[in-house]
Amino acid sequence: MAFWQSKTLTEMTSQEWESLCDGCGKCCLNKLIDDETEELYYTNAACLLLDHQTTSCQHYSDRFRHVPQCTVITAQNVHELTWLPDSCAYRRLAAGRALPSWHPLLTGSKDAMHLAGMSIQGKVVDERRVKDIEDHIVLWPLKDLD
């Protein structure tokens, strides 16, 4: 039985926890919250550290030096991070759902994730090139398969 099926999120080692991240890059998108309705909107404006091709952070180990507001996802705060997409493995497992069929832990690479359209690959712009963030609201990060 795979570790994510036999352990709770809090029982996982740091290496196991990190491997749960599918690397889709959706959590690295700028998001907006409507002040009146508190509705969350995703944009296609990506963090300046996000590599748009590999969908990985270019400075993951020292990202807080570059982007102090970057959030650490933990077993303790995953339930509070309502901005994580429904497709996020952390969010899925915390909700008692299985990993999606395209997840790299199941397929061995990010290729199936990219082919399923579940990553940011080919869909984003650098946040530094955005003038009006409201013009960059998108729906595709809400997509969740199986």
Side-chain angles (χ1 to χ4, degrees):
M1 185 178 283
F3 74 86
W4 61 88
Q5 295 171 319
S6 62
K7 294 183 176 184
T8 66
L9 295 177
T10 56
E11 293 172 331
M12 293 180 189
T13 66
S14 58
Q15 184 178 357
E16 289 169 336
W17 178 262
E18 288 291 321
S19 72
L20 286 178
C21 178
D22 54 43
C24 71
K26 292 178 189 175
C27 63
C28 301
L29 297 175
N30 286 265
K31 295 150 203 76
L32 300 172
I33 298 178
D34 186 301
D35 290 334
E36 294 177 17
T37 66
E38 296 201 19
E39 189 167 351
L40 174 73
Y41 296 94
Y42 282 86
T43 73
N44 67 344
C47 173
L48 63 108
L49 298 181
L50 190 60
D51 183 307
H52 301 185
Q53 238 357 353
T54 66
T55 70
S56 297
C57 182
Q58 297 176 70
H59 296 285
Y60 186 74
S61 61
D62 67 340
R63 65 194 183 278
F64 302 107
R65 186 168 59 88
H66 302 279
V67 183
Q69 68 273 24
C70 186
T71 302
V72 176
I73 302 168
T74 67
Q76 290 72 34
N77 72 4
V78 69
H79 293 286
E80 301 164 18
L81 303 178
T82 56
W83 49 264
L84 288 172
D86 289 340
S87 59
C88 173
Y90 297 119
R91 188 165 188 182
R92 288 176 70 112
L93 292 177
R97 296 174 65 201
L99 292 181
S101 60
W102 48 263
H103 195 283
L105 282 174
L106 300 175
T107 64
S109 77
K110 289 184 174 183
D111 294 342
M113 175 182 61
H114 297 314
L115 288 172
M118 297 307 295
S119 76
I120 60 95
Q121 192 177 63
K123 301 175 186 169
V124 298
V125 296
D126 188 310
E127 66 185 354
R128 295 170 290 189
R129 300 187 65 161
V130 171
K131 287 187 172 68
D132 294 317
I133 193 78
E134 294 85 5
D135 293 338
H136 290 268
I137 292 173
V138 292
L139 296 176
W140 55 261
L142 302 173
K143 182 179 177 184
D144 191 13
L145 299 176
D146 57 54

